[in-house]
Structure formats: C-alpha cells, structure tokens
Amino acid sequence: MVFFAAVVAHFAVAVLALIGLRRRPVIAACAGLVVLAGTALVVVTQAIGATSAPRKTIEWLPLLGFNFTFQVDGFAVVMALLVSLLGFGVLAYSIAYFEHDATFTRFVGLFMAFAGSMTGLVLAEDLFTMFIFWELTSVWSFLLIGLHDKSEVARRSAVRALLTTGAGGLCMLVGIGLLQNQFGTTSFAQLREAAPTGKMASVAASLLLLGAFTKSAQFPFHFWLPGAMAAPTPVSAYLHSATMVKAGIVLLARTAPIFGDTGVWRWWVVLAGVITMLIGGWRALRETDAKLVLAHSTVSQLGLLTVLFGIGSPYATYAGVAHLVAHAIFKAGLFLGVGVIDHELGTRDVSKIGAARRSVPVSVVAIGACLLSMAGIIPLFGFATKEKALVALLDAEFGLVGSIALWGIVAGSVFSVAYSVRLLHALVRTPNDSASNDEHHAHHEASALVRTTLAAPVVVAAVVSLGFGFAASTVGSWLVSPSSALDVKAVSKLALWPGINDALLISLVVIAIGAVIGWKAPLEDNSAQQPQGERVFDAVYDATIAGAKRITAVIQPGSLPIYVGVTLLLVSIAPLSATFVDGFGSLSGLTSGTALEASVSIIAIVLALGVAVLQSRFTGAMFLGGVGYAIAALFALRGAPDLAVTQLLVETLTIVVFLLALRAMTRITTRPVARFPQITRMFIAATVGIAIPLLALAARDARTAPSASQEYFARSVDEAGGRNVVNVILVDFRGFDTMGEIVVLAIAALGVANLVRAAEQHRRAAISVKEVAGS
Amino acid sequence: MKLVVTICLGLLVLAGALGVARIVRRSTLGDRAIAFDMLTSVLICSLLVSAGYLRDGLLLDLAIVLSLLGFIASVTIARFIEARDGTE
Amino acid sequence: MSSLVALPILIPLVAAALMLVVRNLFAQRAISFVALLSSLATATAVLVDVWNTGDIAVSRLGGWPGSFAITLVSDGLSSVLVVVALVVTTTVLLFAVGQQTPDEHSPYYHPVYMALVAGISQAFLAGDLFNLFVAFEVLLMASYVLLTLEGNRAQIRSGTTYVVLNIIESVVLVMAVGLIFAATGTVSFAELPERIAALPDGVRMGLHLLLLVAFGIKAAVFPLFSWLPDSYPTAPSSASAVFAGLLTKVGVYCLIRVQTLLFPGELSNVVMIVGVSTMAIGVLGAISQHDMKRILSFHIISQIGYMVFGLGIGGAVAIAATIFYLIHHIPVKTSLFLVEGIIERNTGSSSLDDVSGLARKSPLLAVLFLIPAMSLAGFPPLSGFLAKFALVRGGLSAEQYIGVGVAIVVSLLTLVSMVKIWVGAFWGEVAPTSLINSVGVLRQHRSMATATAILVGFTLVIAVAAGPLYEFASRASDQLLNIERYISAVRSAS
Amino acid sequence: MIKSKILEELIDRWLTKVGTLVAIFITFRGHNAPGGGFAGGLILGAVFVLQYLAGQQPTIRRKPILNPERLLGLGLLLALVTTATPLFVGGAPLESYIWSITLPQIGKVKIVSSTFFDFGVFFVVVAVVLMVLTFLGTRGGAISHEPTDGAG
Amino acid sequence: MSIWAFTLIAVLFAVGSYLLMERSLTRVALGVGVIGNGVNVLIIASGSDAGEAPIIGREGVLADPLPQALVLTAIVIGFALLTFLMTLAWRNWTITGNDEVEDDVEDRMITRRAEQTAKLGDEPHPEDVQT
Amino acid sequence: MNDVFSTLRDVLSAVLMLSGSLLAVVSSIGIHRLGSTRARMHATTKPATLGVLLCAVGAATQFVDVSDIAKVLVVVILQLVGAPIGAHMLGRAVGGK
C-alpha cells in the first residue's frame, strides 16, 4: 500500500505543479524531489524487510478483470530505484537547466506525472496494469517532447512519437485482450503457469512484441526516438534514454518467460534487436549533433537489451538486467553532460564541443568516463555487463537464432565502441573556430550554483559507473534477486576481471576495431538527411490523409439531393428484400374496391402526378391540397370521419401556409446548380413507389393476432366516458401521444416565430449598417 | 330512392371529373381556383346526397367543415394571385 | 417509484409552457434550472430504485391496466440514460447561460430547450413504438428550432439538410410503426416481441430493416450519416453540444431496443457490418477535416460505429460494453463540443487555421480538452479506454477479428485527429488573428468553464466508478436480453 | 383588403360567429361523436385565417388576440395540468375521472376530466394558427419584398 | 386493401420521393406533403378494414379506431413539419433570393482538395501536412 | 298516413337532389365552355352554390333529428355567406382577364 501511495504522490505533485504552484515551479520541483527520494526509500525498505515480494491488488473493474496489481519483486525494485533515483538527479539538474524558462512549470508537472506513471509501470504485476501506465507514459512523453511547442520540429516529433507508440499500444491492447479471453487472466505469474501455446498465443505474443518494439524504438519503429531529441535535455535524458524506452524492455523481460518458447517470439526479438543495434550504431557514427549521436546510441543499446531479454536464457536475463542498469546510469550521465556543454557553449555540434574542455573540465571528464562505460572498457561498469552478455550468448544453445544473436551483438559492440570513441575524439579535439564560442560564452554567464547543480548529476553518474565497475561482484550479487524474479534460474555473478576466456578475446578484438573506426570517423559529416524511418512515417501519414480525403469527397459530397437519394434507396431495399423472401403471394389479397373509392383514388393519383409535373410552386401546393381533399374523402369512405375532418382542415391550413411563404417568393432567381440526374431520380422514386405498397400488403396479410382496439371498444364507454373511440383514444388511452403532438405543434410555431424574428433582426442590422455607411 | 341517389352521385362524379380535367389541363391559376371552388361544391353536394340517403349525421359534419373551407381555399388562391401580380 | 417515471418528461414540459407565459429572461433561466434539477432528482431516485431492486419501473399513463394503453418503462438502460441525459443537459444549460450571446436571449431558447429535454427523456422511457415516434418528433422539432436559432445563412443551409433528412427519418419511422401495427395489431413493446416472432420471415425482415433505416438515420450510421457533419458545426455551440452528445445516442438507444427487444438477434451481421463501416468512414472523414467542429462531428459518427458494432456482436458481454460505451460517450462528446464552444467564443473561429497556442493562453482549457480527447481516443485510464477495451474483448470473444482490427485502426486514427486538434489549436504561437485578450480565456466566462469542468469531472467519475457502473451496465444488458421479464413487468405492474 | 362594407359585415356578423359556434360545438361533443379539440381548434383557426385573408386582425368578439404565445403557453399548461394532476392524488398521469353532475333544466351531465385535456389541445391549436398568421403572415410579409443579403 | 389504395400509395410514395430529391425547398416541402399523405393512406389501408365510424352505438362493423388515432397524430405532426419547412424556405429566400439548397461549403472544399491531390499525384495539399 | 308522408318526402328530396346534381354538372361544363376567366367565374359559382343549396334542402327533408337539421342549416348559411366572399375576392384577383 505504501508504494501505491508513493505512485499517487507523484501525481499529486504533478497536479500541484500544474495548478496550485504555477508561479512557483521551484517549490513544486522541490516537492517532486522529496517524493522521488521518498519513493526510492519506500521501495528499498519494502524490498529489504519482506520475505516474499509485497503485493497489492486494487479492484477497479472486476467484471472485465481490470484490476491494478502491483508487486515489488527484485526486478521491480531495481527498476523503481532507477526511475526514482535518476528522476531525482534529472529533476535537480533541471532546476538549473530551466532557470529562465517559462515552461518549467509545465515541465515539473509533466515530469512528475511521468515519473509516477513509470513507477507504476515497473511495479505492475499484471499486463493490464502495466498497459495503463504504459499508455500514460506515451501521453506524458508526447507533451514533454512538445514542451517547446512553438518549434515545428518539436511538434512533429511529438506527434510521430505519440502515434508510433500509440499504435504499438493498441496492438498490445489487442494482445492483452486475446490473452485475457483465452486464459482469463493478465497476471504475469498466472500467465506463466498457464503456459500459453498455440496460434492464439503466438498472435498475442506478436502483438505484445509490437507494443514493446514501438516503445523501445526497435526496428522498424526506431525512427521516433532520435526525433524525440527535440525535447529539452532533461527530458531526453530521463524519458528517452533512461526510463520510458526501457518500458518495452521491461515488458520483454516480464513476458519472455511466458512466451520464450512460442516459436515466433525468439526470432522476432532477436532479428529486431540485431537490426536495430546495427542501424542505430551506424547512424550514431554519422550524426553531427552530439545529442542525436546519443539518441542513436540509445537505439542501438536498446537493441542489445532486446536481444538479451528476448533470448530468454537465464544467463542472458541476468546479463540483460545488469546491462539495463549500466546503460541507464551512463546514458543519463551522457545526456546530462551534453546538456551541460549545450548550456555552456550553445552548441552540440560534435566538431565544436571540444571547446568545453576549458570551461567545464570536470563535466567533460565525467562524460568521458561515461563514454568509456558505454564502450565497455575496463574498469567501468559497462565492461562487466557487456562481458556478461557475450558470455551468456556464447553459452546459450539456440541454434541459428543464438548465432545470429551472438554475432549481431559482436557487430553491435563494434559500433558502440566506435561511436563512443568518436565522441571521445570530439571532446579531446580542439575545435577550429573558438572565436564564436567565446562570444557565446560572454553573454551566458551562469552562476556558480547553477553550474554546480548542472554538473553534479553528470559527475555522480560517472562516479557510479566507475564505482560499480570496481565493485562489480558486489553489484552483481545485488542483481541476483532482480533477475531471479524474472527467471528463478537466472542466478549468476559479475566480475571486474572475468579471467581470460572467449568473451574477453572477442571483446578485445571488438574494442580494437571499434576504436580505429571511431577515431577515424569524420566529425563534420554533413550528409544528414531526414532518416528513412521518418520519411516512411510521413509518407504513410500523408497518404492516409489524402486517401481519407478522397473517400470523404465521394461519400460526403455536401449535396442534399444525393443524401436524400441514398436514403430513399435504402428505404426501398427493406420492402423489396421482404418481397423476395416471401414472394408475391400477398398480391392476390388485392380487392377491386368500390366505384366511389376508385374514382376518388383516381382523382388523387392524377393530382399527385400533377404536383410532380407542374413547375409552378403554388400550383403544386394547390394540387397537394387537392390530393389531401381526395384523401379526406377516402377516409370518410372508410369510416374515419374524425380523420376526414382533420385532414380537410389541415390540408387547407397547409395551403394557407404555402401561400404565406410563397407570396413573397414570386420573384425567384434560379441559379444553374448541379442537379441530380433526372433518370436516377425517377428510378429511385419508382423503386420506392413499388416497394412500399408491396410490404404494406404483405404486412397486412401477415396479421394473425387481433388488434389492440378490442380493449378500447370494451372500455371506452364505461371507463373512459366517451362513445367516440377515436377521440377517447386521443385524449385518454393514448393521451400522451396527443400531449407530445401538441408540444410538437407548439414548438413548430415557436420555430416559425423565431425564424421570422431572425429575419427581422438581420434586416434591421443590414439597414443600420447601410445607414452608417450612408452618413 | 337508391336509383335516384345513384344517378345523383353519377352526375356528381361526372361534374367532378370535368372539374379535375379543368384543373389538370394547362390553365391559369384563376381558372384552377374556380375549378377548385366548384370541386368543393361538388363534394359538398355528394356528401349531402349521401347523408340524406344514409340518414347519417356524421357526413353533415364533413359538409360543414368543407363548406367553411371551400372558400378559404379560393380566397387563399385569390390572395396569391394578387400578391404575384402586385409584384410583377 | 413508478409514479416518478413520467416526471422527467412532464416537468420540463410544464416549464416550457410556463416560459411561454413568463417571458422574462431571468425568470426563464430560473425556471429552466429548477425544472432540470428537479427532473434530475426524480430520475436519480428512479435510477437508484432500479439499481437497488433490479426491477423494471413502469408508469401507466391513464392508469390503464395491461399493455394496450401507453406505458413508460424505466429499466436499467433507460433509467441510467435519462440520468446521464439530464446531467448533460443541465450542464449545457449552465454553459449556454454563461455564454452571453444573443441566441440564449431569444425568448424561445429556453422553452424549446426544455421541450428537447422532455423529448429525449420520453424517447428513453417510451414503452410503446408510436409513443417513441412522438417522442422523436418532439425532440426533432425542438432540435430544428435550436439548430436554426440564429437564422443566419450558414444555419439555414445546414438546417435545411438536417431538417429534410430528419423528416425523411420521421416518415420512415411512422411508416414502419404503421406497418408493424398492420402486421401485429399492436404498438406496445410488451406485446410486440411475441407477435413479431410469429410473422413470416420476409415481413419480419422488411419491417426490421425499415426500423433500422429509421433509427440508423437518427444514429447517423453509414451510409445515412451525411446530414450530421453538414449540420452540427453551424449550430450554436450550446445546441450542437447537446446534439452531439445526446441526439445520436437516442438513435443508438432505439437500435439497441430494436435489436434486443423487437427483433432479438436478427440481422446482426448487417448491423455489425454497418457498425464497422461507420466507424471507419467516420474517422476517415474526421482526419480529412480542417475545422474543429467538423472533426468532432465526424467523430460522433465514428464512435457511433463502435456502439453499433458492439450491438451487432450481440450477447450479454458485448451489449454491456455497448451500454457502457453509450454512457461514457455522452458526456465526453458533449464536453469536447463545449470546449470547442469556448474556443470559438474567444477566437471567433473553429478552424484550425485561425486558432493556435491556446495551451499557453489557458492551460486549464487545455486540460479540459485533453481529458475528453484522450478518453475519446481510448487512452487509459479514462473511461473511453474501458469502453473500447470492453468492446474489443466482446469482439474477440465472438471471434470478430476483422471488426476488432478495424476498431483498433480507427482508434489510432481517432488519436491522429485529436492530436491534430491539439497540435493545431493548443500548441504553437498564439495566433495573431485570435481575439483572446490578456485576461485569460476562462476567467471571462466562468460559468462556461464551470459547466465544461463539471462534465469533464463527470467523465472522470465514470472512469473511477467504472466497477459498479459496468456491473450496472451488465445487469442492464441481462435485463435487455431477458425479454420475458420486460413483458411481464409491463403487463403486471400496478 | 376587402373594400366592400357588406362583405366585411358578412364576415364579422356571420362567419366569425357561426364559425366560432361550430368550433365550440365540435370541441365539446368530441368525446361522443366526430370532433374534439383538434378539429374544433382547427375550425376556429380557419375562421381566423379567413379574417386574416380578408385583411383584418384576427379577433374574437371584436377583441384582437395580441399575444398568441401566451395563449399557446396557457393551452399547453392546461393540458399538462390535466395530465399531471392525478399524480398529486395518487393516480397515474393522465388518469381520467368521471363526475356526474345534475344540472337544473339540462339534467344529468357526465363530465370527464379528459375533456379539459381536449380544451388544452383546442387552445394550442388555435394559438399555433394565430402564431403562424402573425409571424409568417403579418410580420414576415412586411419584410419579404426584397431579399437582403444574409450578412449580419 | 383494394387495388386502388395500392396504386394510390405507390403513386404518392413515388411522387413524394421524386420531389424530395429536388433542390428547391418548396418542392421538397411538396414532396414531404405528398409522401406524408402516402403514409397516412398506407397506415389506414393496411391497418384496418373499411367499416363504420368507430363510435359506439353505431350499427355495422366498426372500423379499427387505433390506426385512425395514429394517423390523426401523424397528420398534425406532418402539418407542423411542413409549416416549419416552408418557413425555412421563406427564410432561405430572404437570404439568397431563392429557395434552393446550396451544397455544403466545407464538403465542397474537401472534394476540391481531393481532386487536386489526385491530379498532383499523391502530393498532399500543403495545408494537410501535419504540423 | 305515414307512408304517404314518407313517399312525398322521398319524391321531394329526390327532385331537389337531382336538380342540385344537374346544376353541378352544368357549372362544370361551364368552366370548360365559357370564354374568359371572368365569365367562367360567374357562370360556375352561381349554379354550383345553388346546387349545394338544393342538395342541402333535399337532404334536410330526410332527417328528423333537430341537431341534424341544424347542421344542414349551418351548411346553408356558410354557403350563402362564403360564396360571395370567395367570388368577390377571386373576381378582384383575376381582374379583367
């Protein structure tokens, strides 16, 4: 319960920052820091004290199996610690970073909301719970990428990120639905017991993978992550390197034990991971913006993690957890470090960042340490974890997939060494044009406090990377509990010096090749173009919109007659289909009728045709009145005098209304407008005309039960006190219909009055405008 | 009596048919109005005849309404003609 | 309890009649609020009763026994919809009053609005096909007047489309009712199921299709929806908010009745196909637009598609999901239109070309938009997500994979268009042409903002209280599927 | 519009009176023979239409009816009150009650409460006709001669 | 149902539908009137047999009063609709000088854009590119 | 006595009705045969009104109930009052055409 409260506290601070403390964001940020630290503390104490993992279920929508289930197992502890400690560092850093930025309020609010969601995500013990926080992180990430919403790049990138992760999330949703449908549960533990197999399970697994891939920017969805770098540095550091992108990895880690053996799973994961690793590495070597280099390196490292968790062997899982931690630490340090340089120099161009050596030497050294950790150089933590990864893959026995994974990782490692070295190179090199930097420097005099605050987290990250490296075996033992939470067999250890083995040899070769490539790699490569993935995304987006327009243009032409035509056609389909099912048998039910009925009907028919043929509007109205009179006669003949009287009166009034409206319209300007083709109209009219009486005939023939009117006859005189049954129905048995009817009549009158008033007002306005213009 | 009523109704139907013919034929609004007027008269006549024959008071109600409305219709048309001619 | 059932219809009508006599604007406002709130109170009492006892409340108009006279029937679905409708209409009224535009000052606005409310309540409560038609006429006639309240060029044009197509709907509906009477000899919901079941296949199908077309026009399903996006955007925003939120849902409600009570389970494939194509076509329309009101209008159609799809799947699970969707969607859609109304009131435009940078100007407005928008797009933990997921699960358990696939893609496209509004109107530089002044958007129009906030809060309540609410929906769905229960409740109630 | 004095007299003296009588008669006996509030209201409406078409202000007993909206509201109220009153005495809405009253000279008369409902209908119908005449007729006719541009 | 009623219904519905597809609002209103009459005849002709007026005390077979009551309601509602529609037409005339329904402006715009994009070969309209 | 009376009544009403119907036919022929609108108007409204009156009296003889006879009377009054008004206005509207 305490950790749930911790999650809630995040959101509380978020709301506070967005609404209550809009003018004092720093206070809100401090509150956030307290919450983050508190969360870390809570998680640690919960984990240490408990013998089994503490667990909490909060019912939400039990009928659909929607419940929040949290469990603080080892893996969750590590992840939660990462989230809150890195969050603490980044938030502290951001106070300085956003010193003069009006968006800080928004940042703090969204940041805390994000941190809360992320904490919820990693603590989730249930696919469904995870999904909820998963989607929330997408939304916060969207809003954070677009924090500087005046920049078009930021807006576009935010949209791409949201739509990509959103699409993945929807796939995941279907996957969850399938699993829940099949196995009645979404809990990780219960699903593992259910051991889903079969077609449905592999479809579900694939859908979940799509979710994970989009979130963790795996091929082919890797494009959005570099774009997300449009966000301010703290956002990039936290969301897009250390935490949110790990959500996909968390999902993989949690589900690998469930689906690891469902055939497609391992192939999918390994292939996507390897390709991503290579593409990310390649692009990281070519970018000139240091932040983008880091972004691509993140993509590449995520590929590595994907492979590790996807392979799903105990060792690989252990290695995955270890590398996850290592990556989070050094990557956060790197991003924040680049932020420091950016803050200092006003540029992130790799050919210029060398100048930072002079102004922020401590930070640059710290960045260097982080880079070495990323390259996997002894004695930094990154070395130990990467070694473990290689060992795990060398040990794993997965045939072709295993080999692909192994050599993929080897190739990927070459890249990671190479881009790390390239950045190192950039840092130690003295840039050509230092003049402009000095100038920039001049008007960017930050206070000492700010500089210290900015540098501190970077240094901490570097120190931790180094410290964990030296204490690899201790840290390794800490990691046993997390990885065994995922897979009970995943018990292993880390070592700073593993001894000479295949993995070490491979590493040495990798480092050698990578270092050479990285050092030689050009820093001023300016072949930067829009990445393929983004272009594909934009093309798909634009094509969707264009296609939608074309379809809409056909379906929604804006022409009333066409709408009416379509509707009428549908109206006639109903009776016709009925006739085709039942046949034309009911036609034999037609009687010849009396001569009087015949003559009245003929008069009505002739007049009705006249309405259609005659072009004059008022004559049409007259004919309509004639039709009405004839029909009144018909009613009279059929024993409906009430109806006949009302019909007569109403028809007369109708003519009067037509007169009142039309007498003004005697001068009508008819414009040449596109009309509905005559022949189509006639066809539709004929269909309706044939279809409906046929249905009427069939319906009449089908009557078996007596009419409800029996009751009316029986009760009319004694209980309702009237002999005219029609009237008694109108005012008593079905008086409520009449009630509604007079309301309709009244509103229609109000509508008429309203329109006339509107006309008067508009006319008055027009006249006064004219007068003003005249005077 | 039945024969007489049948003859009467036959005559009235004939009159009605002629009236309808006048209306349907290409004619001016005024002519149509007159024919319309006449048609209501014919209808009233037939109602009265049938009412007398059947001794049914209900039909007389109809006749009352119709005789009230008959000339409202023609007055309406007249007003329309005036409005139209007035603006031309 | 049964004596209270009729009050949500009668109270607004009495108020409307009173307001024709009392023409003072402030008196009208007071009467309106009193009427709506007291209706809400009675409707809530009925809802609570229905919830607690699980019974069906029946009011017999005229006190006639049996089912030959008119009855008002408030089962689970009806009672909850009446309450939701009254909540929505009350808040929208608050919005309209706060709008300070001439349209509310028309002496006819309040009475007609009350009639609209009465019509909506009556449509939900009608236990009789013809009475349902009359209720439709009341609400349609009122909507015609509200739609053309200002009587300007755009409103007349779009009003014409709306009026003509809805008149056709009325014609089809009354024709269907007449033919159903011809075939069965009754129009009471309690008598119809048995008699309809006894009809020959063809007649049954024909009558069923006619009803589907009639209600389909009102619910704006493909291919009968075209009137909606052409007419709602020009209406006064307080009117279009109610229309968007409620009127189409009345159509959906009737479709539910048709599919569960009158023609249980028949033609469900047709309904499903219609639902799927409606959601797809609707959303395609939405992403092609460049005007907020039109985007939102097309979304109504798309969302209706979801509900119709759920209805087509049939069965207790899917119908419960449909009911939940219905309940969630009414306030969500209304609040989106209200937000749009605030924007339009402040900037004078609803086109994405003219509006931008609102998040900077009014963060609260941004939040008020974002919550329902994300709910509409199906983001957890908002109500829209639950509704959508419930439907998806219903579809999956019925193995309607194509439908579910379309639903998912449509969901993404919904997100696309919501993002389009967000990016266009809320992000970016503050448009120089906009009329927003420095005081802030919401401070000026406090009651508009309050109304919107109440509705948004209501959507959040739906999300938080989803557990009991969904339980209620599923009980209502069981009630719908248990036709005998309905029949005996109507026939035997005192 | 009617210039002839005699015709004006005819309308005033005869038509209006006869028409009103017929309307009231038809309304009252609706429960037992064809007629009722609708028909009666429409007949009285038709009389007003005639007065209007003859160029006069619709009047009853030489008193012009100036505020049809109010009449509309009152008619609706009457119908609604009849509908809702039984609720207060524990009945169902619209429930009808029959009272037998012995009047001097006329004898026993059955009064059915739903008759009041019919009166409500009658007033509504009359008011609607009057409103159409006032608005679409008089006021609409005054502004309809040249089309204004829709602006404003 | 007699053959005459059948034909009359057919003609009324056909004529009504035909008129409904017009652009002139007055003609549309005429169509509504005609089709409304068609519906009324339809309900009476299919809902009950011919008979004596349903007034208790009259001799002979009385006609079914329920369809009559329904149609009576329908007639009055139809009148209300028609009145409003004609006022709409009148108002339309005071604005545009005619009573014809224009096409929806926004829809036309989409159509035009769709046509343009079709011509340009899938290049989207500049306004449609996401921003 | 009764028989004679009723026969006499029947004959009377038969004559009245027949002549009324004949007048209606005459006027309907008139609207086809006469030359100008104005002439047609005069030629038709008068016989038609008279026809109605004759029929009304003819029908009235068949009724015994006071209220029914009163109804016939109302028809007659309305015809007598209405016909000239209608004719007058129509005449003015049609003008000299």
Side-chain angles (χ1 to χ4, degrees), chain A residues 347-502:
Chain A
T347 179
R348 299 189 303 250
D349 193 317
V350 284
S351 63
K352 295 178 187 156
I353 56 173
R357 255 181 313 153
R358 266 178 291 151
S359 49
V360 278
V362 183
S363 297
V364 169
V365 170
I367 294 171
C370 291
L371 281 175
L372 288 177
S373 183
M374 178 157 80
I377 309 288
I378 196 165
L380 287 129
F381 193 45
F383 169 76
T385 57
K386 198 166 274 180
E387 280 299 299
K388 195 71 208 169
L390 283 174
V391 170
L393 285 174
L394 281 168
D395 280 5
E397 305 248 328
F398 289 109
L400 184 55
V401 188
S403 328
I404 293 176
L406 176 62
W407 295 113
I409 286 197
V410 169
S413 300
V414 171
F415 275 119
S416 65
V417 173
Y419 52 68
S420 305
V421 170
R422 179 163 171 253
L423 276 184
L424 266 179
H425 182 201
L427 279 175
V428 299
R429 201 180 69 143
T430 311
N432 309 333
D433 50 345
S434 46
S436 63
N437 293 333
D438 291 340
E439 183 198 336
H440 180 82
H441 201 199
H443 69 84
H444 201 283
E445 209 60 64
S447 72
L449 179 65
V450 168
R451 287 179 159 204
T452 319
T453 320
L454 284 176
V458 188
V459 175
V460 171
V463 169
V464 170
S465 288
L466 194 63
F468 276 20
F470 282 116
S473 53
T474 319
V475 176
S477 66
W478 294 349
L479 295 175
V480 169
S481 140
S483 61
S484 60
L486 297 172
D487 186 344
V488 276
K489 285 175 287 178
V491 179
S492 183
K493 49 186 186 284
L494 286 179
L496 182 61
W497 181 250
I500 297 175
N501 54 16
D502 295 353

Side-chain angles (χ1 to χ4, degrees), chain C residues 210-229:
Chain C
L210 271 186
L211 277 185
L212 288 184
V213 170
F215 294 135
I217 298 175
K218 189 65 250 167
V221 300
F222 176 79
L224 302 165
F225 63 78
S226 312
W227 55 269
L228 192 150

Side-chain angles (χ1 to χ4, degrees), chain A residues 537-548:
Chain A
F537 177 91
D538 288 358
V540 170
Y541 185 96
D542 293 341
T544 312
I545 302 261

Side-chain angles (χ1 to χ4, degrees), chain A residues 162-462:
Chain A
L162 178 65
L163 292 183
T164 314
T165 50
L170 286 168
C171 295
M172 194 175 151
L173 181 66
V174 178
I176 295 173
L178 280 174
L179 286 175
Q180 199 191 16
N181 222 11
Q182 197 92 345
F183 305 102
T185 178
T186 51
S187 149
F188 291 121
Q190 286 170 12
L191 277 174
R192 206 178 312 174
E193 277 165 32
T197 47
K199 204 169 126 201
M200 218 31 95
S202 44
V203 171
S206 311
L207 288 168
L208 289 184
L209 277 182
L210 279 176
F213 288 174
T214 50
K215 198 76 165 181
S216 288
Q218 295 300 294
F219 178 82
F221 310 108
H222 56 284
F223 57 86
W224 69 264
L225 187 54
M229 294 304 140
T233 296
V235 175
S236 313
Y238 190 50
L239 273 68
H240 305 122
S241 68
T243 55
M244 187 180 88
V245 288
K246 299 279 166 55
I249 306 296
V250 172
L251 178 67
L252 280 181
R254 292 280 185 198
T255 47
I258 305 172
F259 298 112
D261 295 322
T262 33
V264 287
W265 171 272
R266 195 161 285 134
W267 274 102
W268 264 85
V269 176
V270 167
L271 282 179
V274 166
I275 294 174
T276 313
M277 230 185 324
L278 300 181
I279 290 181
W282 171 247
R283 297 233 28 119
L285 273 179
R286 293 177 62 88
E287 289 296 342
T288 54
D289 182 338
K291 209 170 157 188
L292 282 178
V293 173
L294 290 180
H296 285 291
S297 80
T298 306
V299 170
S300 163
Q301 297 283 337
L302 288 171
L304 173 63
L305 290 173
T306 304
V307 172
L308 286 176
F309 283 108
I311 253 328
S313 72
Y315 272 179
T317 308
Y318 182 80
V321 173
H323 194 66
L324 187 76
V325 174
H327 177 251
I329 296 169
F330 68 67
K331 196 46 77 59
L334 285 173
F335 266 106
L336 297 179
V338 168
V340 171
I341 294 174
D342 190 13
H343 200 258
E344 203 58 40
L345 302 181
T347 179
R348 299 189 303 250
D349 193 317
V350 284
S351 63
K352 295 178 187 156
I353 56 173
R357 255 181 313 153
R358 266 178 291 151
S359 49
V360 278
V362 183
S363 297
V364 169
V365 170
I367 294 171
C370 291
L371 281 175
L372 288 177
S373 183
M374 178 157 80
I377 309 288
I378 196 165
L380 287 129
F381 193 45
F383 169 76
T385 57
K386 198 166 274 180
E387 280 299 299
K388 195 71 208 169
L390 283 174
V391 170
L393 285 174
L394 281 168
D395 280 5
E397 305 248 328
F398 289 109
L400 184 55
V401 188
S403 328
I404 293 176
L406 176 62
W407 295 113
I409 286 197
V410 169
S413 300
V414 171
F415 275 119
S416 65
V417 173
Y419 52 68
S420 305
V421 170
R422 179 163 171 253
L423 276 184
L424 266 179
H425 182 201
L427 279 175
V428 299
R429 201 180 69 143
T430 311
N432 309 333
D433 50 345
S434 46
S436 63
N437 293 333
D438 291 340
E439 183 198 336
H440 180 82
H441 201 199
H443 69 84
H444 201 283
E445 209 60 64
S447 72
L449 179 65
V450 168
R451 287 179 159 204
T452 319
T453 320
L454 284 176
V458 188
V459 175
V460 171

Side-chain angles (χ1 to χ4, degrees), chain B residues 58 61 71-72 75-76 79, chain D residues 1 15 29 34 43 46 50 53:
Chain B
L58 291 189
D61 295 335
F71 66 96
I72 291 187
V75 169
T76 310
R79 288 300 296 269
Chain D
M1 287 298 178
L15 257 178
R29 58 151 222 186
I43 289 174
L50 202 78
L53 288 176

Side-chain angles (χ1 to χ4, degrees), chain D residues 80-91:
Chain D
L80 278 162
V81 165
T82 332
T83 308
T85 308
L87 276 176
F88 296 104
V89 294

